[in-house]
Amino acid sequence: QVSCIIFLRHLILLTSVRTTPPAGPMLQGKQATATSDGGMESLFHNTPETVLADPSVPYFKFSSTSCVSDILRRTPLPKGADRFSSVHIVCSSSALDSAIALTDGVKALGHQAKLYSWSACPALDAEYSAFFRITSDMILNGADRSSLLLFVAAEGSSQEMAVAAILGMLPFRGVQVAFVSPSHHYVDPLLPLRTASGLFEYHAERP
């Protein structure tokens, strides 16, 4: 069996959103607030609000034979899309066999699929380069906001989950992400997640 955690785009990409414009004067095109001495203070220095009061991430267990179709069926589609435009599969070298099998399964279902290798090296420069190399390649291979990022983990660690979440944030302000793990150990995606180098951190409940 394999486990799969589905990240939604609106959960990965947390930004401060207001339903109606706040009242008050504008300062150089931005909302401003009055200070106690009658001056004006830009909202640039204010702490952004939390967008999702109670975020959640769905978690499923699949048999290996039906994993591909179930992942595509259970992952919510982006607004306005009736299917994923393309599927981009990222894996480390130790999970390559599983990733190839998933890639073949995605193609068999009629989807465009591309496979990318993630470097497990914890060096800062290697990790930084890998993030932008993979996301740049995804865009060059036709990824758009209707694409799915499928991360195939070797161990299902919190470090791998951090990589999957951050990769999903970079192209087009976020794409849907499915995290596929061989482990039965549950890693809470709502807790702070750090990459192996410790340089990058992801926190779902903070903007």
Side-chain angles (χ1 to χ4, degrees), residues 72-150:
L72 295 178
R73 178 174 57 85
R74 289 180 179 268
T75 305
L77 291 165
K79 290 183 178 180
D82 56 4
R83 60 177 282 150
F84 290 110
S85 59
S86 57
V87 180
H88 301 265
I89 302 168
V90 180
C91 73
S92 60
S93 57
S94 54
L96 182 59
D97 290 343
S98 299
I100 291 175
L102 287 172
T103 304
D104 292 340
V106 170
K107 291 180 177 179
L109 293 175
H111 291 267
Q112 177 187 350
K114 296 291 184 180
L115 181 61
Y116 309 85
S117 175
W118 169 261
S119 172
C121 177
L124 299 181
D125 55 345
E127 205 172 67
Y128 179 90
S129 298
F131 273 123
F132 290 96
R133 171 181 56 82
I134 290 176
T135 51
S136 296
D137 288 346
M138 286 173 56
I139 294 173
L140 291 174
N141 286 328
D144 55 30
R145 298 197 71 186
S146 297
S147 296
L148 171 65
L149 172 62
L150 185 59

Side-chain angles (χ1 to χ4, degrees), residues 7-15 51-52 56 76 175-176 204:
F7 292 87
L8 305 184
R9 175 192 291 135
H10 67 268
L11 178 60
I12 291 178
L13 182 67
L14 295 183
T15 56
V51 177
L52 302 178
S56 62
V175 297
Q176 301 288 68

